[in-house]
Amino acid sequence: MSVKKASTPGRNAFVESYGSQLLDASILLLPSVGFLPASDPRVHGTLAAIEKHMMRDGFVLRHDPRDVSDERQPIEGAFLACSLWLADAYVLAGEIAKAQALFDRVVGVANDLGLLAEEFDSGQGRQTGNFPQALTHIALINTAHNLSDAKKPVEKPVLQRSK
């Protein structure tokens, strides 16, 4: 794929497909899979565009809400895995505090057993979609691991050894 063609001129952000102006949350995975380093200006532009256009009440939507089509009705909730992908991108970009805050926000909507669904409807204050959702839990584990690795030893919790 041509990196130049996949990003939008003037916005300096990656988009869902060639020639599109719309975003897609899957582009948050670009630095995680090594497509480009998180320090690349296009990755920073993509994160800024996602924050501006695809966040609802602190969570990331799966698809760009500016895409008006019959396929996307009714309006979907925020995808929790996508919110965690943004947290991972923050970690890679060195924005640990933003990553931790987003991680904590996702963990905060888990049920009493710590389980998470596919989506979160912030208007209704409840989880929606497939429940429990394996993709969300895999993303949660990955983000927890990434945050732990990114922290200095003094910031990590000390494990008590049993005698």
Side-chain angles (χ1 to χ4, degrees):
M1 167 167 51
S2 167
V3 173
K4 189 171 186 173
K5 288 184 179 182
S7 60
T8 303
R11 190 187 319 164
N12 205 29
F14 288 97
V15 291
E16 70 177 356
S17 63
Y18 291 114
S20 176
Q21 294 293 314
L22 298 171
L23 301 163
D24 184 278
S26 65
I27 57 180
L28 290 168
L29 295 170
L30 292 178
S32 294
V33 300
F35 185 76
L36 284 173
S39 59
D40 188 283
R42 292 164 293 187
V43 172
H44 283 282
T46 300
L47 298 182
I50 294 282
E51 290 169 342
K52 181 177 180 180
H53 298 289
M54 292 186 60
M55 290 194 77
R56 181 183 299 144
D57 299 324
F59 295 94
V60 179
L61 301 172
R62 173 67 180 89
H63 301 283
D64 196 323
R66 297 172 297 169
D67 180 15
V68 183
S69 72
D70 293 334
E71 293 176 21
R72 301 228 201 298
Q73 301 300 325
I75 301 299
E76 62 188 16
F79 269 58
L80 296 175
C82 297
S83 298
L84 294 163
W85 294 346
L86 178 58
D88 291 336
Y90 285 153
V91 169
L92 291 171
E95 298 184 47
I96 308 305
K98 286 175 84 171
Q100 185 68 55
L102 188 49
F103 177 82
D104 292 343
R105 189 173 306 123
V106 171
V107 169
V109 301
N111 73 2
D112 57 333
L113 299 175
L115 296 175
L116 293 163
E118 178 180 23
E119 300 178 22
F120 182 72
D121 181 338
S122 57
Q124 298 290 320
R126 65 185 181 95
Q127 297 187 64
T128 62
N130 296 319
F131 180 86
Q133 174 56 260
L135 178 63
T136 304
H137 290 95
I138 291 167
L140 181 76
I141 292 165
N142 285 338
T143 305
H145 181 278
N146 291 337
L147 280 166
S148 179
D149 277 357
K151 292 181 179 179
K152 298 173 188 153
V154 73
E155 297 172 327
K156 293 183 181 181
V158 177
L159 299 176
Q160 298 288 331
R161 294 182 187 226
S162 60
K163 296 182 180 185

